[in-house]
Amino acid sequence: MRFLPLALLLTVSGVATADEEEADTCLRTKIWAGYNDGWAVRTATSASLAEGDHRIYLVTMYAGNEYRLQVCGDANANDVDIVLHDANGTELMRDESDDREPLINFKPASTDTYYIAVYAGSLAKGQTKAGVAMAVTYK
Amino acid sequence: MIRNWMCTLALLTVACGGESPDKSAATGAETAAKPAVEKKVVKFDKSTLQAEALEIALVPSPAEMQKALNNAGLQSQLSTMVEKRDIAMKAENKDQIAVRTGVVLADLVLTVQDATTEEQLARLNRLKEGFALLGAGDDVANTIEDLRGQIQGGSGSRADLLKEFDELSGVLVPELKYEAGEWVVPLIQAGSWLEGAHLVSGAIKKEAKYEEAGKLLKQPAVVDYFLKYVQREGSDKAPDQVVKKLEETLTMLKEITSKETIEEEDVNNIYSATGAVLTML
């Protein structure tokens, strides 16, 4: 299974679609590059989003660990955003970028559950869906 | 003289590129000067977050527990605390098979740097059996066979194996579709988490670092998530002492991990309760 692409893993599971493969490959490259700096992957998953669509993930994070939440959109995506909330729904952080590869670094003050919202802000002209892959990594 | 200046002016005009390029540049400047389209800021309210949240990333991995332990200042290495045992996939109850598979997966990941080749191969064999019984399909079996081949052939470092075991446990296993049903992933995760919680509570006891217990074990939402699937409608109702014990243990853990402060007695209870389930496997 050496470096089996995430896209292939997701295809094996029947989840990936054609436009998610580019996003998966991009994300996977970032995940494995992170291992050189001490990061490890908790979870990686992908979805197809229309403009304005979102996915929300509930995540447990440990106080003391550092987390990196990162997303890759495929070429159909112009701007994808990540918004992090605490367990009460209060917004803690959001990426301010206008691109399709947002990233948030976060060090929780307390061990708790957090909500990560991944939002497809805008797609390339004429596109109706974009592949978006999200990973939670830690160190 | 005048003719010379006129000539210079004419040359400058030509050198500047004439009318078209100038117009083009001006158009570009005008474009740049236009106010950027304001980025739409989307807000998510609590009810939306609660209603739509997917739980695929809810459960921390055993390797992440190890990292949290060290970041909290404990010295213990969970890999050295993993019992040397063979967890057979001999149960008839599929819930129990999923839990057993999760425990083996946790042990495989935690001991990636220290286990012998024989131990790694034995755990991969058990995983393959477990996934087959849960109807995970041939692809995961092939993936495990690839890993076995790598280990047997001595190709790749332990650091490479760490990535691949992380990928197996954190990416592939949660995304697979199981014939047995959608409850399989949470119960595999429950097995892994139970093993991790047992080892972490053991490390806290050993180092008497009870003040760090809240940071490391306070996860009521995770326990609740497991309970939801153990108590689901249509679960395998065949009498099974392990699943019954698991449900009792999770119910107790939910109460403990929901406390404001987790104290020494609570850590001892977590350690003995999780141990009681694990020794039944």
Side-chain angles (χ1 to χ4, degrees):
Chain A
M1 195 184 70
R2 181 186 301 275
F3 305 129
L4 191 61
L6 178 60
L8 178 54
L9 290 177
L10 298 182
T11 304
V12 161
S13 70
V15 175
T17 58
D19 59 357
E20 289 173 41
E21 289 188 15
E22 183 189 339
D24 291 334
T25 303
C26 159
L27 188 67
R28 191 172 172 285
T29 303
K30 290 173 188 273
I31 289 171
W32 298 143
Y35 271 78
N36 297 328
D37 298 320
W39 296 95
V41 63
R42 147 97 74 93
T43 309
T45 187
S46 62
S48 288
L49 299 180
E51 187 165 288
D53 272 0
H54 61 262
R55 284 285 184 283
I56 294 166
Y57 302 95
L58 185 62
V59 182
T60 302
M61 292 195 262
Y62 285 102
N65 285 5
E66 288 177 58
Y67 290 87
R68 176 167 289 175
L69 318 174
Q70 52 193 344
V71 166
C72 277
D74 69 6
N76 291 355
N78 271 348
D79 179 25
V80 184
D81 293 324
I82 309 174
V83 191
L84 177 66
H85 306 77
D86 67 14
N88 294 318
T90 305
E91 186 177 316
L92 300 176
M93 295 176 83
R94 67 167 57 224
D95 79 284
E96 303 289 347
S97 69
D98 288 329
D99 61 38
R100 56 189 164 101
E101 296 181 16
L103 176 150
I104 283 181
N105 287 318
F106 179 59
K107 192 164 183 178
S110 61
T111 297
D112 209 339
T113 50
Y114 296 83
Y115 293 99
I116 301 168
V118 177
Y119 174 75
S122 67
L123 302 189
K125 195 173 178 184
Q127 301 300 328
T128 57
K129 290 268 188 183
V132 176
M134 187 279 297
V136 177
T137 59
Y138 64 91
K139 72 174 182 179
Chain B
M1 180 84 166
I2 291 173
R3 212 164 81 183
N4 284 347
W5 273 108
M6 285 183 70
C7 181
T8 303
L9 190 61
L11 282 170
L12 280 173
T13 303
V14 171
C16 287
E19 190 178 348
S20 293
D22 280 346
K23 190 175 177 183
S24 171
T27 306
E30 280 167 18
T31 304
K34 276 184 187 172
V37 177
E38 198 166 319
K39 185 179 168 88
K40 189 179 174 187
V41 176
V42 176
K43 299 281 185 182
F44 298 90
D45 61 30
K46 188 177 179 181
S47 59
T48 303
L49 295 169
Q50 287 178 328
E52 298 184 18
L54 303 171
E55 292 166 317
I56 191 169
L58 176 62
V59 184
S61 70
E64 190 178 351
M65 292 182 187
Q66 172 71 71
K67 186 66 77 175
L69 197 76
N70 295 149
N71 284 339
L74 282 82
Q75 304 302 314
S76 299
Q77 291 302 309
L78 300 184
S79 61
T80 63
M81 299 167 70
V82 170
E83 279 190 37
K84 291 187 186 300
R85 62 189 162 184
D86 176 31
I87 297 178
M89 300 295 158
K90 62 187 177 188
E92 287 183 17
N93 183 296
K94 294 278 176 70
D95 289 28
Q96 195 187 139
I97 295 286
V99 173
R100 284 171 181 262
T101 302
V103 176
V104 176
L105 190 57
D107 290 349
L108 180 78
V109 171
L110 284 171
T111 61
V112 62
Q113 301 289 357
D114 306 317
T116 64
T117 299
E118 291 70 29
E119 286 168 340
Q120 286 184 329
L121 293 173
R123 288 192 176 110
L124 285 169
N125 275 342
R126 290 302 188 198
L127 278 184
K128 192 175 166 186
E129 281 179 57
F131 286 126
L133 290 166
L134 295 167
D138 292 338
D139 294 309
V140 69
N142 295 336
T143 298
I144 290 172
E145 273 310 304
D146 285 350
L147 285 169
R148 280 177 48 79
Q150 265 186 62
I151 293 167
Q152 280 175 320
S155 61
S157 64
R158 293 282 171 135
D160 289 339
L161 275 182
L162 171 68
K163 289 181 191 175
E164 298 188 28
F165 288 172
D166 275 354
E167 192 168 26
L168 177 70
S169 68
V171 183
L172 178 58
V173 170
E175 293 280 2
L176 284 173
K177 299 292 177 198
Y178 298 84
E179 280 172 17
E182 64 170 16
W183 53 267
V184 169
V185 170
L187 290 191
I188 291 174
Q189 292 173 322
S192 291
W193 186 87
L194 208 69
E195 173 76 330
H198 181 66
L199 297 173
V200 166
S201 56
I204 294 170
K205 272 167 62 76
K206 188 174 141 195
E207 299 188 38
K209 292 262 194 176
Y210 298 101
E211 69 278 9
E212 301 296 337
K215 201 183 279 183
L216 298 167
L217 295 167
K218 198 168 164 43
Q219 296 170 26
V222 172
V223 177
D224 210 26
Y225 166 70
F226 297 147
L227 261 179
K228 184 172 73 180
Y229 286 94
V230 171
Q231 297 173 331
R232 72 193 182 279
E233 285 292 317
S235 63
D236 192 336
K237 296 299 182 191
D240 188 285
Q241 290 306 307
V242 172
V243 177
K244 189 176 169 209
K245 185 72 179 171
L246 175 64
E247 185 177 350
E248 284 173 15
T249 300
L250 290 173
T251 304
M252 191 195 85
L253 290 178
K254 186 179 173 185
E255 192 181 320
I256 293 175
T257 58
S258 298
K259 287 182 178 180
E260 193 65 36
T261 307
I262 298 181
E263 297 175 345
E264 180 174 347
E265 185 187 359
D266 300 317
V267 174
N268 290 335
N269 286 335
I270 292 171
Y271 181 74
S272 56
T274 51
V277 178
L278 293 166
T279 53
M280 292 174 79
L281 301 178

